């Protein structure tokens, strides 16, 4: 005998749509209000779901924030198969694209939220660190491993490259200044990639030769 679905019970597809809409609405709310001031009730109302539905998907605000940051991080990460050319070209492309996406209004607001409120909520810092490792460091480590860098070393090198690649974006975020222009992003990506791959020794030798 065929069992009829109980009236009013959402399908898995509808439930997933509601969950994703909650994440998108929450991202905007967190970016606008910050973590502490963001209201789960307001998020539920803007997502046009009940508070019960929200809690069915996310038991608390921290879980919703983590899901929101995970979604945002996944959207930021460039598609690695689309990165072509030699290692220098791929790293420049990656660094340029990541700077561009991190400079969006929402990404900038989320970053400021973490800097501002991470001291009060250690959980925020832990979530942000996890997302940083997964969505910014891991892709670079993967690129390096494909070039023969040992897995034991790739993450340490990748962290250093990411720190260099995002350094100017981070400096302006913390200390003020106009957003990076596309030309500045590309120039910075080329500079840090060359520095990362070659170090400063060739430059110093070149200067010595010119003296």
């Amino acid at each position: 005998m065929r069992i009829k679905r109980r009236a009013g019970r959402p399908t898995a597809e509808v439930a997933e749509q509601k969950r994703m809409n909650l994440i998108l609405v929450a991202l905007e709310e967190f970016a606008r209000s910050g973590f502490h001031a963001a209201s789960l009730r307001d998020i539920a109302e803007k997502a046009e779901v009940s508070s019960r539905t929200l809690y069915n998907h996310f038991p608390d605000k921290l879980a919703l924030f983590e899901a929101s940051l995970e979604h945002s991080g996944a959207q930021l990460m460039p598609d690695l198969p689309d990165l072509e050319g030699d290692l220098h070209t791929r790293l420049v492309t990656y660094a340029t694209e990541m700077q561009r996406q991190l400079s969006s209004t929402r990404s900038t607001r989320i970053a400021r939220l973490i800097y501002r409120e991470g001291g009060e909520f250690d959980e925020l810092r832990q979530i942000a660190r996890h997302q940083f490792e997964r969505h910014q460091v891991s892709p670079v480590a993967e690129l390096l491993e494909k070039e023969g860098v040992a897995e034991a070393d790739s993450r340490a090198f990748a962290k250093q490259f990411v720190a260099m690649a995002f350094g100017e974006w981070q400096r302006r975020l913390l200390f003020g200044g106009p957003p990076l222009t596309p030309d500045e992003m590309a120039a910075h990506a080329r500079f840090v990639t060359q520095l990362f791959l070659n170090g400063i020794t060739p430059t110093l030798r070149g200067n010595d030769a010119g003296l």
Side-chain angles (χ1 to χ4, degrees):
M1 181 177 66
R2 186 176 182 180
I3 300 176
K4 293 183 178 180
R5 185 179 296 275
R6 187 170 58 186
R9 184 179 180 183
T11 64
E13 182 180 359
V14 171
E16 180 57 26
Q17 288 175 350
K18 288 183 178 181
R19 178 181 178 278
M20 182 52 61
N21 192 45
L22 275 167
I23 288 174
L24 294 175
V25 171
L27 260 176
E28 294 299 328
E29 186 68 14
F30 286 130
R32 184 183 67 84
S33 303
F35 179 80
H36 182 73
S39 165
L40 292 182
R41 179 178 296 178
D42 289 346
I43 291 171
E45 288 181 358
K46 291 177 181 178
E48 298 182 344
V49 299
S50 66
S51 295
R52 179 179 179 181
T53 296
L54 186 153
Y55 284 112
N56 283 340
H57 289 290
F58 307 103
D60 52 36
K61 187 192 291 190
L62 197 62
L64 179 55
F65 180 77
E66 183 171 12
S68 300
L69 211 60
E70 168 64 25
H71 174 77
S72 179
Q75 297 302 307
L76 286 174
M77 188 169 60
D79 190 5
L80 288 179
D82 291 340
L83 298 178
E84 300 177 348
D86 58 16
L87 180 59
H88 180 277
T89 300
R90 283 178 286 164
L91 287 175
V92 168
T93 301
Y94 180 86
T96 302
E97 178 63 12
M98 286 300 299
Q99 288 179 94
R100 184 186 69 81
Q101 295 191 43
L102 285 170
S103 296
S104 71
T105 300
R106 186 169 66 187
S107 294
T108 299
R109 287 178 177 175
I110 291 294
R112 285 176 176 155
L113 178 162
I114 294 168
Y115 285 129
R116 183 176 63 249
E117 301 187 42
E120 182 180 356
F121 299 100
D122 186 60
E123 294 89 345
L124 295 188
R125 288 187 295 180
Q126 296 299 328
I127 292 171
R129 182 180 295 112
H130 173 73
Q131 299 304 326
F132 170 75
E133 293 279 351
R134 181 174 181 180
H135 295 299
Q136 277 80 54
V137 174
S138 291
V140 177
E142 183 177 335
L143 286 176
L144 296 177
E145 288 168 18
K146 288 180 178 179
E147 293 294 320
V149 176
E151 185 176 351
D153 299 324
S154 63
R155 294 196 71 83
F157 289 141
K159 288 178 183 178
Q160 186 61 50
F161 176 77
V162 171
M164 294 166 64
F166 301 164
E168 182 60 20
W169 168 82
Q170 186 180 49
R171 186 187 69 80
R172 298 192 188 195
L173 182 72
L174 291 174
F175 304 125
L180 288 164
T181 67
D183 287 344
E184 288 175 328
M185 293 178 191
H188 182 68
R190 290 192 298 269
F191 170 73
V192 299
T193 300
Q194 180 177 352
L195 188 61
F196 174 74
L197 293 177
N198 301 322
I200 65 171
T201 301
T203 301
L204 293 175
R205 288 175 178 169
N207 289 340
D208 289 342
L211 294 176

